[in-house]
């Protein structure tokens, strides 16, 4: 009897393993065609990469504790650009892993910031409205990295600093680049990945001439594409919108490229894991939070609440992460590369080649030159 029970359990475990294995294979995106420029660019860069964690207390803001993971290229002695990363609501700095690894292998320092009160492990639960304090987190981290006499950060180029973020982190970097009171003037370029665009008016983006790229997916069920991304190119001065057909919201985070990917549409997980009962159903939750109409903030004419749509046949998370990584490096390369030819090559890839090689991608806007 015991032997039969043991055999039955072993068979069940084996069957579960087979199912998980099959789902793992099915949800793995196919490699990009080898002969394409996109495949060449997606390969790891020439530099080995290491990471180190830092925890700092901002004594000017109630000892606000900020933890970062710094991704850095091991070789070389020349000055290198620095990118700051801001994670999404209920996420952590680990959400940057895939992008930070790639960027650092091409010579970037990448500081992935963990915000103390919106991360997944925040005391008392994450608070999305602490986003108003998060641009200050980026400025504080930048102060720590660029402080005079620093040996460990001595190769960071203070004139080539950018920022990128996912979701609430996309809002954070947008505020840090353009908010008339909270902006960080040392930022030279920013990327908002599925951040909100509805409350940021045209005059908001006139406070600074900072190149801006928004990356958005048409199957986003948390920050809807139609009301947050479509209008962005009419509001910004320099930059544009990169749209990924079928890309979801949660799928941009690194955590969805692991075991979570076998659960299907990752936005279902995001919608089921957070309470939306306290979020207004008739206007953006950030109306009045980020500032006033005089500061360039607006009440959107149209608002669509999160988790109110159904999408099928969404893009695999790994594929949309690959596309975002390609776009981010091309965007920052078009600004921070040291030679004019390199900057132009990155710009051409972002404006034309990525569209030609990846049919799910479209790009609008003006990236300068």
């Amino acid at each position: 009897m015991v032997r039969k029970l043991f055999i039955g359990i072993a068979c069940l475990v084996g069957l579960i393993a087979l199912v998980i294995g099959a789902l793992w294979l099915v949800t793995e995106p196919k490699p990009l065609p080898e002969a394409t420029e996109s495949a060449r660019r997606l390969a790891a860069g020439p530099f080995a990469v290491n990471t180190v964690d830092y925890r700092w207390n901002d004594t000017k803001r109630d000892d606000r504790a900020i933890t970062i993971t710094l991704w850095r290229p091991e070789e070389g002695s020349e000055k290198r650009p620095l990118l700051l990363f801001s994670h999404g609501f209920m996420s952590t700095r680990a959400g940057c892993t895939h992008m930070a690894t790639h960027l650092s292998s091409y010579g970037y320092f990448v500081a992935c910031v963990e915000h103390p009160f919106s991360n997944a492990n925040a005391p008392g639960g994450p608070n999305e409205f602490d986003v108003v304090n998060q641009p200050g987190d980026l400025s504080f981290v930048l102060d720590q990295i660029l402080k005079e006499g620093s040996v460990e950060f001595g190769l960071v180029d203070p004139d080539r600093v950018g920022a990128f973020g996912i979701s609430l982190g996309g809002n954070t970097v947008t505020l840090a680049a353009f908010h008339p009171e909270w902006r960080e003037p040392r930022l030279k370029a920013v990327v908002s990945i599925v951040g909100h665009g509805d409350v940021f008016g045209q005059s908001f983006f006139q406070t600074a001439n900072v190149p801006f790229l928004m990356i958005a997916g048409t199957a986003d069920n948390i920050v809807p594409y139609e009301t947050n991304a479509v209008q962005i190119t009419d509001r910004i001065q320099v930059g544009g919108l990169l749209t990924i057909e079928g890309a979801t919201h949660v799928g941009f985070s690194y955590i969805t490229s692991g075991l979570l990917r076998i659960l299907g549409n990752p936005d279902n997980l995001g919608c089921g894991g957070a309470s939306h009962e306290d979020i207004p159903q008739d206007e953006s939750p950030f109306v009045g939070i980020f500032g006033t109409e005089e500061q360039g903030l607006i009440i959107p004419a149209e608002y669509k609440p999160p988790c109110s749509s159904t999408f099928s046949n969404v893009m695999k998370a790994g594929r949309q992460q690959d596309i975002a990584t390609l776009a981010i490096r091309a965007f920052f390369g078009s600004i921070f590369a040291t030679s004019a030819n390199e900057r132009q090559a990155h710009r051409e890839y972002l404006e034309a080649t990525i569209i030609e090689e990846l049919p799910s991608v479209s790009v609008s806007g003006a990236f300068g030159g």
Side-chain angles (χ1 to χ4, degrees):
M1 181 68 178
V2 173
R3 184 166 180 263
K4 289 182 178 179
L5 180 62
F6 177 80
I7 293 173
I9 292 173
C11 290
L12 179 61
V13 170
L15 178 61
I16 292 172
L18 284 173
V19 171
I20 291 175
L23 288 172
W24 182 263
L25 291 175
V26 169
T27 54
E28 176 73 11
K30 294 180 180 179
L32 297 175
E34 291 184 9
T36 61
E37 174 69 2
S38 296
R40 186 189 69 78
R41 282 174 167 264
L42 194 58
F47 298 106
V49 175
N50 61 29
T51 63
V52 58
D53 291 337
Y54 297 90
R55 182 180 174 86
W56 297 312
N57 286 353
D58 188 346
T59 58
K60 296 180 180 179
R61 296 190 300 157
D62 299 323
D63 270 345
R64 189 175 169 94
I66 311 294
T67 303
I68 75 164
T69 297
L70 182 75
W71 301 76
R72 59 182 300 159
E74 289 186 356
E75 299 88 356
S77 58
E78 67 271 25
K79 293 281 188 178
R80 302 194 179 281
L82 167 69
L83 303 177
L84 305 173
F85 171 82
S86 178
H87 62 76
F89 179 55
M90 297 197 304
S91 186
T92 69
R93 66 189 187 279
C96 77
T97 299
H98 51 306
M99 299 173 185
T101 302
H102 180 82
L103 290 162
S104 190
S105 77
Y106 280 93
Y108 287 86
F109 285 89
V110 185
C112 297
V113 178
E114 189 145 304
H115 300 289
F117 297 112
S118 67
N119 75 77
N121 304 307
N127 175 12
E128 66 182 330
F129 297 112
D130 190 60
V131 64
V132 299
N133 297 307
Q134 293 183 175
D137 294 343
L138 300 186
S139 292
F140 172 71
V141 168
L142 191 51
D143 287 341
Q144 294 298 109
I145 291 176
L146 297 182
K147 62 185 177 182
E148 187 176 356
S150 173
V151 176
E152 56 191 330
F153 302 118
L155 293 180
V156 172
D157 186 346
D159 295 322
R160 291 188 291 166
V161 179
F164 64 109
I166 298 175
S167 190
L168 197 69
N171 295 346
T172 300
V173 301
T174 303
L175 293 167
F178 298 104
H179 196 282
E181 293 182 6
W182 308 334
R183 67 176 300 264
E184 171 48 67
R186 291 169 292 185
L187 292 180
K188 301 299 191 294
V190 294
V191 179
S192 172
I193 307 168
V194 292
H196 288 81
D198 55 355
V199 296
F200 300 118
Q202 187 175 30
S203 63
F204 177 81
F205 290 101
Q206 307 305 308
T207 62
N209 190 24
V210 177
F212 178 88
L213 173 66
M214 177 173 279
I215 298 175
T218 61
D220 190 327
N221 199 17
I222 296 176
V223 178
Y225 174 80
E226 297 85 357
T227 52
N228 286 279
V230 171
Q231 74 282 2
I232 204 70
T233 53
D234 295 329
R235 298 181 181 179
I236 60 178
Q237 295 187 71
V238 180
L241 167 66
L242 184 138
T243 298
I244 307 175
E245 186 70 30
T248 63
H249 186 88
V250 181
F252 284 103
S253 178
Y254 179 70
I255 62 170
T256 59
S257 59
L259 278 176
L260 288 179
R261 77 187 201 207
I262 71 174
L263 299 179
N265 186 337
D267 282 2
N268 293 340
L269 178 66
C271 287
S275 173
H276 298 280
E277 295 177 358
D278 297 330
I279 296 177
Q281 296 298 300
D282 56 354
E283 68 174 13
S284 170
F286 297 111
V287 169
I289 299 296
F290 293 152
T292 65
E293 184 178 352
E294 289 73 25
Q295 293 177 316
L297 284 304
I298 61 174
I299 298 176
E302 180 184 1
Y303 174 67
K304 185 177 183 180
C307 304
S308 58
S309 299
T310 300
F311 296 99
S312 58
N313 299 319
V314 300
M315 178 175 283
K316 295 174 181 177
R319 172 61 74 238
Q320 66 183 71
Q321 290 169 24
D322 288 346
I323 294 171
T325 299
L326 287 166
I328 289 168
R329 186 164 73 86
F331 176 71
F332 285 123
S334 72
I335 299 160
F336 293 146
T338 54
S339 78
N341 286 340
E342 285 183 272
R343 293 193 296 272
Q344 181 61 28
H346 284 300
R347 189 173 298 115
E348 289 176 355
Y349 176 77
L350 184 60
E351 293 178 338
T353 308
I354 193 172
I355 304 169
E356 296 167 0
E357 295 184 343
L358 302 173
S360 59
V361 175
S362 60
V363 177
S364 59
F367 293 92

